[in-house]
Amino acid sequence: MIRSPDEENGTGTEDLCKVDIASLKSRIGRIRHADDTAVPTCSDDVTPAVPITTTPLSTDTSPLNASVARAKDLATKALRRKEEGFVKQGETPPHDSTRQPAYQRYHTLAQSGPPGLSLPYQYKVLAEMFRSMDTVVAMLYNRCETATFTKVKQGVQDMMRRRFEESHMGQIKTVFPEAYTFKQEKNIPTFSSGVPKTSYQLTVEPLTESDQNEARPLLSALHLLKRRSIFHQNLVSIVKQHHQVFLSSLVPPVSVPDDKLNRWHPHFNVDSVPAVQPSLLPQVPVTEKLITAREVLDKARSLLSPKMEKALVTLALNTGDTPADVLGSCPNPTEPPVAQVPASLKGVSQTLLERIRAKEAQKLQAAMTRNPAQEERLLMMSRLGELARILRSVFVAEKKAALIMEVVCNRMVASYRSSLSTGEMEKHIHLLAEVAADWLTIHPIRKDFYLKLNKKVELSVVLEKLSRRLKEEEGV
């Protein structure tokens, strides 16, 4: 088919138009691609422009941006209102470190099942302490052993892995006062060197229901369960009292009988109930100690009967002395009163009796004016005789010329009749080396001390010297 020139020109024009349109589209695409790559380089304050898509079904995103901005604005206002609400109510911020841990503040909310009449966290801990204490006391009571606070404390702490003090025992007494009898007693065997036998100790004795068939009733598992149930009910009663106060503070106030109460008020914070106030336990009795001679005389005067006191006053008036000299004055030791010689001492020289009385008066005066340091030294001096014998036995048993201080102290502590620590025994050894320096010597070598005995000195000579030195210091 032969085309005319006009047809050929028309076809060339259409092809040229298609080429121009394709080049124009490619240029527009390059410009848009350059705009897309330039958007991330803008600052954070400037909102990037949304590129125009080439698809004909593109949607307008301005309503979405408006919704997001509105949601952010509402969240900011809600957070501001929440902070203002905390300030108005006088509450501390949630991040305050002085508040209790969350597992204590929201303990009741974390319990499984219906809330009911649940107890605060600290009350549950106190109930567990009572259970452990009742178990330890019952075990000691059934064994006819005195339950002291030291034994009960150790047993409860081993069971609970938690500290147990006298304040917790006072709280238990507040909640269940009919459970135990507390006393301060002494002369209780402790089998421990740290607690002397003559010191007072707090004892615990359970109160049990007396049975006519049993001379001394025992605490069985059934009794322990009953006591535990009573303790729990008493704790619930304490919480109910705080709950009644909370109900009366509401507007309008609410009144609910305790026997019909099955659960707490929804707004009642159970874990904010204050702790139980501990009751007073028996304290160690204060014994009166007479220190000076004047206090001794005043005490003796208070013990005199009125007739005897009147007789002494009459005697003082007849002899020309004042009543105060007879009743309250301290006699002068340098001028002893003339005493009548008893019939058994007739024939004894009066001079010898006067010297004996003067010596006794001197000892009494020295005993009244002696300071505590001298008293402790005299007590240590009185033990040196027996300790010297033990020390000689230790050297004979070890068969060595010199022994280290630590070994000697351990051997002597194990052999001495009274309970002395290694530190106290070392002080006695130093004092023995000071008094009997020709028999016992201490040699410091490096960081240790070595003891050495002089075999040429007899033990009897050493004992005689110690006895003579003790009498001299007692007479001073």
Side-chain angles (χ1 to χ4, degrees):
M1 180 177 181
I2 301 173
R3 295 180 179 179
S4 62
D6 297 336
E7 291 177 354
E8 292 178 357
N9 293 334
T11 304
T13 304
E14 290 178 358
D15 293 339
L16 182 62
C17 291
K18 290 181 180 179
V19 171
D20 294 340
I21 291 172
S23 62
L24 183 60
K25 287 183 177 181
S26 63
R27 288 182 181 180
I28 293 174
R30 287 196 299 272
I31 293 172
R32 289 174 177 172
H33 180 68
D35 293 340
D36 293 340
T37 55
V39 166
T41 60
C42 63
S43 61
D44 296 336
D45 299 320
V46 180
T47 305
V50 180
I52 302 174
T53 58
T54 57
T55 58
L57 298 177
S58 62
T59 59
D60 189 7
T61 59
S62 58
L64 180 60
N65 292 337
S67 300
V68 172
R70 184 180 179 186
K72 291 181 178 179
D73 189 15
L74 292 175
T76 305
K77 290 181 179 180
L79 182 60
R80 189 182 300 112
R81 289 178 181 176
K82 186 176 181 180
E83 293 177 355
E84 291 177 356
F86 277 118
V87 174
K88 289 180 180 179
Q89 296 177 6
E91 298 178 359
T92 55
H95 301 286
D96 190 7
S97 59
T98 60
R99 302 184 69 180
Q100 294 180 347
Y103 73 91
Q104 294 184 13
R105 288 187 285 116
Y106 306 109
H107 172 261
T108 55
L109 301 179
Q111 301 303 310
S112 59
L117 300 178
S118 58
L119 293 175
Y121 176 79
Q122 53 187 351
Y123 282 37
K124 287 190 175 181
V125 173
L126 187 61
E128 186 67 16
M129 286 184 176
F130 173 77
R131 184 190 67 82
S132 303
M133 176 181 172
D134 213 20
T135 303
V136 175
V137 173
M139 181 176 60
L140 296 174
Y141 178 78
N142 293 339
R143 294 194 308 207
C144 299
E145 185 177 348
T146 304
T148 61
F149 172 73
T150 305
K151 299 177 184 178
V152 175
K153 177 181 179 181
Q154 187 64 36
V156 174
Q157 290 183 163
D158 292 342
M159 294 176 66
M160 295 192 60
R161 303 297 179 186
R162 187 186 292 268
R163 292 185 62 85
F164 184 78
E165 304 294 342
E166 288 189 10
S167 58
H168 298 125
M169 195 174 288
Q171 290 179 333
I172 291 174
K173 182 180 179 181
T174 302
V175 177
F176 194 7
E178 299 83 9
Y180 304 103
T181 300
F182 301 92
K183 297 179 182 179
Q184 286 286 349
E185 300 180 21
K186 61 180 181 178
N187 298 327
I188 298 175
T190 57
F191 307 102
S192 174
S193 59
V195 181
K197 185 177 179 181
T198 57
S199 62
Y200 282 90
Q201 298 187 62
L202 180 62
T203 60
V204 185
E205 183 179 0
L207 296 176
T208 58
E209 299 177 0
S210 60
D211 192 357
Q212 297 179 358
N213 299 330
E214 292 180 326
R216 188 174 187 271
L218 300 178
L219 281 177
S220 61
L222 182 61
H223 290 91
L224 296 182
L225 289 175
K226 289 182 179 179
R227 291 161 65 91
R228 193 187 311 174
S229 176
I230 294 173
F231 191 84
H232 179 79
Q233 294 298 329
N234 292 347
L235 287 177
V236 173
S237 300
I238 295 175
V239 182
K240 283 183 178 180
Q241 295 177 5
H242 294 281
H243 185 255
Q244 290 292 343
V245 175
F246 171 79
L247 294 180
S248 61
S249 63
L250 296 176
V251 181
V254 181
S255 177
V256 180
D258 291 342
D259 54 348
K260 296 183 179 180
L261 184 65
N262 295 326
R263 63 179 63 241
W264 308 121
H265 192 276
H267 296 164
F268 178 63
N269 190 359
V270 182
D271 292 302
S272 64
V273 175
V276 179
Q277 294 297 327
S279 300
L280 293 178
L281 298 176
Q283 302 298 323
V284 178
V286 180
T287 57
E288 183 181 2
K289 294 184 179 180
L290 304 178
I291 301 176
T292 62
R294 172 66 62 182
E295 294 178 357
V296 175
L297 292 174
D298 293 341
K299 184 68 175 178
R301 182 178 181 181
S302 63
L303 297 176
L304 295 177
S305 62
K307 292 184 178 180
M308 186 177 295
E309 185 176 357
K310 185 177 180 180
L312 289 176
V313 172
T314 305
L315 179 61
L317 294 176
N318 294 334
T319 56
D321 297 332
T322 59
D325 294 336
V326 177
L327 296 176
S329 62
C330 181
N332 189 3
T334 59
E335 298 178 0
V338 179
Q340 295 182 358
V341 181
S344 59
L345 297 178
K346 285 185 178 181
V348 181
S349 174
Q350 189 67 24
T351 307
L352 178 60
L353 293 176
E354 290 178 358
R355 284 192 304 174
I356 293 174
R357 292 193 182 106
K359 192 173 182 179
E360 292 294 331
Q362 186 179 3
K363 287 184 178 181
L364 292 175
Q365 184 180 4
M368 288 187 293
T369 58
R370 191 178 295 131
N371 54 30
Q374 293 176 346
E375 290 285 349
E376 184 179 0
R377 180 180 174 86
L378 289 177
L379 181 60
M380 294 173 64
M381 289 283 296
S382 63
R383 299 170 179 165
L384 294 184
E386 185 176 356
L387 293 179
R389 295 190 186 92
I390 297 175
L391 180 61
R392 176 63 183 274
S393 302
V394 171
F395 270 88
V396 172
E398 294 292 336
K399 297 180 181 180
K400 294 182 180 179
L403 293 176
I404 194 171
M405 176 72 77
E406 183 179 359
V407 175
V408 174
C409 289
N410 292 333
R411 298 289 191 277
M412 296 181 67
V413 166
S415 301
Y416 191 58
R417 57 183 178 181
S418 300
S419 59
L420 292 177
S421 62
T422 54
E424 294 175 345
M425 186 60 69
E426 186 174 351
K427 292 180 181 180
H428 285 77
I429 293 176
H430 281 282
L431 181 59
L432 182 59
E434 175 189 346
V435 178
D438 55 343
W439 179 64
L440 175 63
T441 54
I442 301 177
H443 303 275
I445 300 176
R446 295 180 181 177
K447 294 183 180 180
D448 296 328
F449 293 92
Y450 287 84
L451 304 180
K452 190 174 182 181
L453 292 183
N454 187 3
K455 297 181 180 180
K456 297 180 180 179
V457 180
E458 295 292 336
L459 181 61
S460 59
V461 178
V462 176
L463 296 178
E464 184 180 356
K465 185 176 181 180
L466 293 175
S467 178
R468 184 172 61 253
R469 185 67 177 271
L470 177 60
K471 292 180 180 180
E472 291 176 359
E473 294 196 5
E474 283 181 349
V476 174

